[in-house]
Amino acid sequence: MSIFKKNKKQELLKFKEEHPNLNDVEKNLILDTVKRINELKTSQDKEILAIIHSLRNLSIYGQLSKDGRILLKKLQRDQWLWGLLNSVVLHDGS
């Protein structure tokens, strides 16, 4: 299954590049996440969940930009799809 897993680091950097209206906090979240993904023994999934959590917090306090909402929606959708696929693969492999 890991063959099909997307490189979230590249996706995040591309998103940052294509969405110049992200605020400074959102840009820093992306850069920090990419930095942590680069570290050895760091789970990409764990870091994506952490950035989702951070973006949700920004949203709660009204500090999430329009582009930040797009990123949050995209990350949540991707996590949901991967969770669904992993569930199907695990159940079929039993």
Side-chain angles (χ1 to χ4, degrees), residues 47-69:
E47 295 307 325
I48 295 302
L49 289 174
I51 194 173
I52 288 171
H53 178 73
S54 296
L55 290 169
R56 285 178 182 165
N57 281 339
L58 288 175
S59 179
I60 288 169
Y61 295 107
Q63 298 173 339
L64 193 62
S65 71
K66 191 174 189 178
D67 285 351
R69 286 190 222 308

Side-chain angles (χ1 to χ4, degrees), residues 35-47:
K35 182 179 172 184
R36 285 192 305 273
I37 288 173
N38 280 334
E39 295 174 4
L40 293 176
K41 298 182 181 180
T42 299
S43 166
Q44 177 174 269
D45 289 331
K46 179 181 172 186
E47 295 307 325

